[in-house]
Amino acid sequence: WMDDEREEGIFNYVITKSFTFDDITLSDFRFGQDLPPSDGLGIFDGSKDLTGMMIWNGAFTASRFIVANRHLFQGKGILELGSGCGLSGLVLSRIAKKTILTDRNVDVLDLLHLNIQNNAQDSNCTSIKLSWGENLDSLRDQLGRLDIITGSDIVYSSSSMTALFTTVDFFLKQDSDSKFITIYDPVFL
């Protein structure tokens, strides 16, 4: 699923665990527990962003919200922005009609793809590369109808807000009934 030689050491920090939210269990779920200790990989100088390799508290909050409010997502087409390793998106995929998980980082997308293979029960869950605010017109036909655009703990820098809302606005304009739901862990607000 990925070539460990491509980026030295990044995937040495990936662990496997199972998560259960009510009646939904994700097994053989992989994520990065800790970032590598040195900056030899370009993580701390900003040239390599591996934030999506980790599970943030908002993904647990979102997963619990999704399960408790499954009526909002049943039968819907969902686009999750900044999916990272995919915890809450895979919970969505067990409920929604169609779920598209996104991230901009190719290393994170490799991990996301593996988690989809291990945990998506139907072919209703896919992943694509999406950089907020970029090449949105080319995705319009590919993605089809989207009822809900969602994301959890997706903004940690104010510099990304314009690109995020450009993307959200673009997809909301495709259907006047579409909604944007973003979830953050209340401890960090």
Side-chain angles (χ1 to χ4, degrees):
W1 64 283
M2 65 183 74
D3 180 5
D4 286 344
E5 299 301 316
R6 188 176 66 192
E7 294 288 338
E8 292 178 33
I10 290 174
F11 301 110
N12 294 336
Y13 295 88
V14 174
I15 63 170
T16 304
K17 191 171 180 178
S18 293
F19 296 98
T20 300
F21 301 94
D22 196 18
D23 60 335
I24 297 173
T25 298
L26 303 178
S27 57
D28 196 23
F29 188 87
R30 298 181 186 197
F31 62 100
Q33 184 173 23
D34 297 304
L35 293 176
S38 73
D39 196 31
L41 304 173
I43 294 165
F44 303 115
D45 70 5
S47 64
K48 180 60 101 180
D49 177 7
L50 295 179
T51 55
M53 298 281 287
M54 300 175 70
I55 301 175
W56 297 92
N57 287 338
F60 293 108
T61 302
S63 296
R64 288 189 294 272
F65 175 84
I66 292 161
V67 170
N69 296 280
R70 62 180 68 221
H71 65 280
L72 296 173
F73 305 100
Q74 287 175 325
K76 305 290 185 185
I78 311 288
L79 175 69
E80 184 183 45
L81 303 175
S83 300
C85 53
L87 184 67
S88 56
L90 283 161
V91 171
L92 275 168
S93 77
R94 300 288 182 90
I95 298 168
K97 179 180 179 181
K98 172 180 75 172
T99 309
I100 303 163
L101 309 183
T102 70
D103 207 278
R104 68 182 174 130
N105 182 295
V106 293
D107 294 315
V108 174
L109 282 167
D110 283 342
L111 183 61
L112 177 59
H113 181 71
L114 179 66
N115 282 330
I116 290 170
Q117 284 181 320
N118 291 344
N119 290 287
Q121 293 182 328
D122 298 315
S123 60
N124 72 332
C125 186
T126 59
S127 63
I128 63 167
K129 184 178 189 324
L130 175 62
S131 295
W132 299 343
E134 297 178 17
N135 304 314
L136 299 175
D137 286 323
S138 66
L139 293 174
R140 179 179 300 144
D141 293 333
Q142 178 185 352
L143 299 183
R145 178 179 166 77
L146 299 169
D147 300 294
I148 298 173
I149 295 96
T150 187
S152 61
D153 274 355
I154 53 176
V155 175
Y156 54 92
S157 170
S158 61
S159 64
S160 63
M161 295 295 282
T162 299
L164 168 64
F165 283 105
T166 297
T167 303
V168 169
D169 184 58
F170 177 85
F171 288 114
L172 288 178
K173 284 181 179 176
Q174 306 306 310
D175 187 323
S176 62
D177 293 329
S178 295
K179 296 170 180 47
F180 176 52
I181 300 173
T182 185
I183 299 169
Y184 284 84
D185 183 62
V187 172
F188 296 105
L189 291 179

